[in-house]
Amino acid sequence: MKLKIKKGQKVKVIAGSDKGKTGEVIEINVKNLKVKVAGVAVRTHFDKKEGQFKKEAFIDYSNISSIK
C-alpha cells in the first residue's frame, strides 16, 4: 500500500490524546500502518544500560494528516 505521508514531512495529529499537536515524521511502519512523530506520543522508557529516558511511540496512520 502506498502511503501519502513521507519521512521528514510535517504532520498534525487529528485524533487521540495528542490531538492538535504537530511534528515531523521520524519513522514509518508500513506493515502495521503506524507512524512515529517527533514530540507526539512521548513515553518514558527504561533501559538497564542507559537508565530512564523519553522516546516517541508509534501512533496510527489514520490519526494524522499532512500540513501544507
Side-chain angles (χ1 to χ4, degrees):
M1 178 179 185
K2 185 175 179 181
L3 304 180
K4 294 181 180 181
I5 305 290
K6 304 270 188 243
K7 186 176 176 181
Q9 186 176 1
K10 291 276 188 181
V11 294
K12 181 178 181 178
V13 179
I14 59 171
S17 61
D18 292 318
K19 183 177 180 178
K21 291 185 180 179
T22 59
E24 187 174 313
V25 176
I26 301 171
E27 186 179 342
I28 300 174
N29 185 338
V30 179
K31 182 178 179 184
N32 297 329
L33 293 177
K34 301 283 184 174
V35 179
K36 272 190 188 179
V37 181
V40 177
V42 178
R43 306 287 185 252
T44 302
H45 181 74
F46 183 79
D47 189 26
K48 284 188 176 183
K49 292 181 181 179
E50 297 181 26
Q52 185 176 351
F53 61 95
K54 296 187 182 280
K55 69 179 195 177
E56 289 84 4
F58 281 103
I59 60 173
D60 200 55
Y61 174 73
S62 64
N63 292 344
I64 61 171
S65 69
S66 62
I67 298 176
K68 295 184 181 185

